[in-house]
Amino acid sequence: MSHQLLVLPGDGIGAEVMPHVERVLDATGVDLTVKHGLLGGVAIDSEGVALPPETLEKAKASDAILLGAVGGPAWDHLPMMDRPERGLLGLRSELDLFANLRPAILFEPLAHASSLKPELVANLDILIVRELTGGIYFGEPRGVEEADGQRRGFNTYVYAEDEIDRIARVAFDLAQKRNGRVCSVDKANVLEVTRLWREVVDETHADFEDIELSHMYVDNAAMQLVRAPKQFDVIVTGNMFGDILSDVAAMLTGSLGMLPSASLNGSGQGLYEPVHGSAPDIAGQNVANPLATVLSAAMMMRYSLDEMDAADRLERAVQSVLEAGFRTPDIMLDHSNTKLTRVGTDAMADAVIAALRS
Ligand code: NAD
């Protein structure tokens, strides 16, 4: 059966990279019915809003959404609520995409791009599962008030049992498709809300006996991520801790142009996008690295479309173009290495397609 895919190229390098990634998708041979939609600045210019109703309708009807990036200086003067980024936030909340997946995969040929020693990170493959729609970023009450003659700021860190259970289930499910280990990160020694987090994760674990579960305090997890990151398989955590830890993990791999992400809802529908933005400084120059979007498409094959073989083939193709020495400028770190070939966006996509076909 054909998978329903909505492609939202967006702005800047998002729009530039996406046609090449669509060529890569074609080369996988997976049966996709592809629709296109407007999101972000391009939607503001043509429809007057960042998330037009037609785009939302198409998104709801699709199995997966592949997004380039949104935003840019042309829309920076707009009020916060009207900016391109609001379109993305709107899409996330309308589709109830509560599980954010941020893998940190380090391809061996790029091990020296990391801020850690190559042997600590070569072939690193961690998946951080972050709760995206709850926790302290959304908890009420919140605000800044006057009290005793001074200002006092406050937020509320709150999670209900069902919110914890559903994100834990996502993490356990994903671990079943990987190496079978989940580490749940909390601060249960200090915060009652995360003590509940730990209890509920333990209860949910009863349904996943094949998965090895461990718990870790967030301060230790931050330390372990930079000390011995390969000890982790899947990390599951709340919104704020996940925000911080996923950026730490991202830096282990060194390059923004290589980082994919996904946001899933309870029915497996997902929004897949590179971690990077629209990079207006390089847009239109054929130098943007398309691999973060290619790897996002690989995640889409694995987590929403159940096309495991295509996901593996896409990731192997990326590995092999890097081994063959193809580098877009952002990952061309060693200019004296004559075995490396500097390529543009189009030629990098061509190389991935050639690798898929070989
Ligand atoms: P950015 O990620 O767009 O760029 C940061 C730096 O990394 C730039 O120097 C850029 O050239 C480089 N870079 C990014 N992706 C690259 C790639 N694929 N290949 C090579 N180099 C790459 O972040 P920014 O400059 O802070 O933001 C630019 C715009 O993007 C802003 O409007 C911002 O709001 C938006 N943004 C959107 C998203 C999204 O769509 N999810 C995420 C982050 C930022």
Side-chain angles (χ1 to χ4, degrees):
M1 203 184 66
S2 186
H3 303 290
Q4 304 298 313
L5 169 62
L6 176 63
V7 171
L8 303 172
D11 309 313
I13 62 166
E16 187 180 357
V17 160
M18 196 57 88
H20 297 294
V21 176
E22 289 192 60
R23 293 195 290 123
V24 171
L25 283 175
D26 254 2
T28 63
V30 172
D31 186 2
L32 299 170
T33 303
V34 180
K35 291 202 170 103
H36 292 87
L38 299 171
L39 185 82
V42 67
I44 293 172
D45 287 352
S46 97
E47 310 293 312
V49 282
L51 174 57
E54 193 190 338
T55 300
L56 183 58
E57 224 168 87
K58 284 181 183 167
K60 285 183 173 163
S62 63
D63 299 316
I65 303 153
L66 187 62
L67 168 69
V70 296
W75 305 280
D76 279 352
H77 65 282
L78 295 173
M80 217 46 147
M81 292 307 288
D82 300 333
R83 289 221 187 164
E85 293 78 1
R86 295 305 300 186
L88 187 50
L89 295 178
L91 202 54
R92 283 185 183 145
S93 76
E94 287 287 341
L95 297 181
D96 198 16
L97 301 169
F98 65 87
N100 184 232
L101 277 49
R102 286 268 298 262
I105 300 169
L106 190 72
F107 295 97
E108 206 275 332
L110 298 181
H112 53 287
S114 172
S115 46
L116 296 191
K117 295 187 198 91
E119 64 271 23
L120 287 181
V121 290
N123 300 316
L124 177 79
D125 184 357
I126 306 176
L127 180 62
I128 299 195
V129 179
R130 164 188 170 194
E131 201 290 326
L132 200 58
T133 54
I136 195 164
Y137 290 176
F138 293 93
E140 298 282 350
R142 61 193 296 156
V144 178
E145 63 182 16
E146 288 285 335
D148 302 327
Q150 61 174 342
R151 282 169 301 164
R152 181 173 162 273
F154 55 97
N155 288 88
T156 303
Y157 193 168
V158 56
Y159 270 119
E161 236 178 306
D162 60 349
E163 289 175 292
I164 305 167
D165 173 69
R166 68 178 185 171
I167 192 77
R169 275 180 200 282
V170 169
F172 291 133
D173 271 340
L174 293 170
Q176 280 174 333
K177 295 178 179 177
R178 294 171 49 95
N179 295 316
R181 287 182 296 117
V182 170
C183 177
S184 171
V185 170
D186 59 38
K187 191 72 183 169
N189 51 343
V190 179
L191 298 169
E192 285 79 357
V193 48
T194 71
R195 197 175 309 147
L196 176 70
W197 175 283
R198 191 176 281 216
E199 275 173 34
V200 176
V201 170
D202 275 334
E203 287 159 18
T204 307
H205 181 227
D207 292 343
F208 296 86
E209 280 173 357
D210 51 333
I211 301 298
E212 187 188 315
L213 171 66
S214 60
H215 298 279
M216 200 179 271
Y217 297 138
V218 63
D219 42 346
N220 187 25
M223 206 163 67
Q224 295 302 328
L225 267 176
V226 292
R227 192 189 70 87
K230 285 195 245 181
Q231 68 185 283
F232 296 109
D233 178 19
V234 175
I235 292 176
V236 64
T237 189
N239 205 342
M240 178 168 60
F241 297 160
D243 190 5
I244 300 164
L245 294 183
S246 60
D247 271 18
V248 173
M251 270 306 99
L252 301 177
T253 70
S255 175
L256 206 48
M258 297 293 303
L259 291 170
S261 81
S263 306
L264 305 181
N265 65 19
S267 48
Q269 196 185 25
L271 170 71
Y272 296 83
E273 55 177 323
V275 169
H276 64 72
S278 58
D281 55 328
I282 58 165
Q285 299 170 27
N286 192 34
V287 292
N289 186 346
L291 295 180
T293 310
V294 170
L295 292 169
S296 302
M299 290 184 80
M300 173 183 87
M301 294 289 184
R302 179 170 295 120
Y303 298 130
S304 281
L305 307 186
D306 215 21
E307 295 281 357
M308 303 299 176
D309 177 57
D312 289 345
R313 283 188 289 122
L314 279 167
E315 285 166 1
R316 275 203 308 272
V318 169
Q319 171 88 27
S320 89
V321 298
L322 293 173
E323 276 165 5
F326 293 107
R327 299 283 187 276
T328 44
D330 59 308
I331 51 172
M332 183 87 185
L333 302 160
D334 180 2
H335 291 272
S336 60
N337 186 342
T338 52
K339 291 193 185 118
L340 301 182
T341 313
R342 187 183 157 121
V343 290
T345 310
D346 52 359
M348 185 58 109
D350 291 345
V352 173
I353 291 167
L356 274 172
R357 291 191 171 136
S358 69

